[in-house]
Amino acid sequence: MGWLWAIIVGLVLGLIAKAILPGKQQIPLWLTVVFGILGSVLGNAVATWIGVNETKGIDWIRHLLQLAGAVLVVGVGDMLWASIRGNRQRA
């Protein structure tokens, strides 16, 4: 059940991150999910590092850090995807 939950959270965070970022992103949906999962893991690591990973009630700070991580990973990943894809089309 953990992997299914990670995929669902990755999809949601990836799509929200794509909506937040300006312009049109070139990455496919499967890569959006992967980047969303990676951003979620990054956000959880930062939340643990600053000591807000477990609080009473809803962990709003952790969720915002997960979203920020997803925005960062989707933004960087989109630039990398576009540069790799652009190089392949030229060859």
Side-chain angles (χ1 to χ4, degrees):
M1 190 67 177
W3 283 105
L4 178 62
W5 189 244
I7 292 170
I8 292 169
V9 168
L11 174 64
V12 170
L13 285 175
L15 291 176
I16 292 173
K18 282 180 80 168
I20 290 173
L21 289 170
K24 184 178 184 318
Q25 289 74 41
Q26 303 297 321
I27 57 176
L29 183 61
W30 67 269
L31 202 52
T32 302
V33 173
V34 171
F35 288 160
I37 292 170
L38 292 174
S40 176
V41 170
L42 178 65
N44 279 336
V46 171
T48 301
W49 181 64
I50 63 174
V52 295
N53 59 330
E54 292 184 25
T55 60
K56 291 183 179 182
I58 299 174
D59 295 332
W60 291 110
I61 296 173
R62 181 174 55 103
H63 295 316
L64 288 174
L65 289 170
Q66 288 175 333
L67 180 59
V71 169
L72 176 72
V73 173
V74 167
V76 171
D78 181 57
M79 287 188 290
L80 291 172
W81 177 262
S83 68
I84 291 170
R85 188 119 167 116
N87 289 340
R88 283 188 183 165
Q89 289 178 350
R90 290 183 197 147

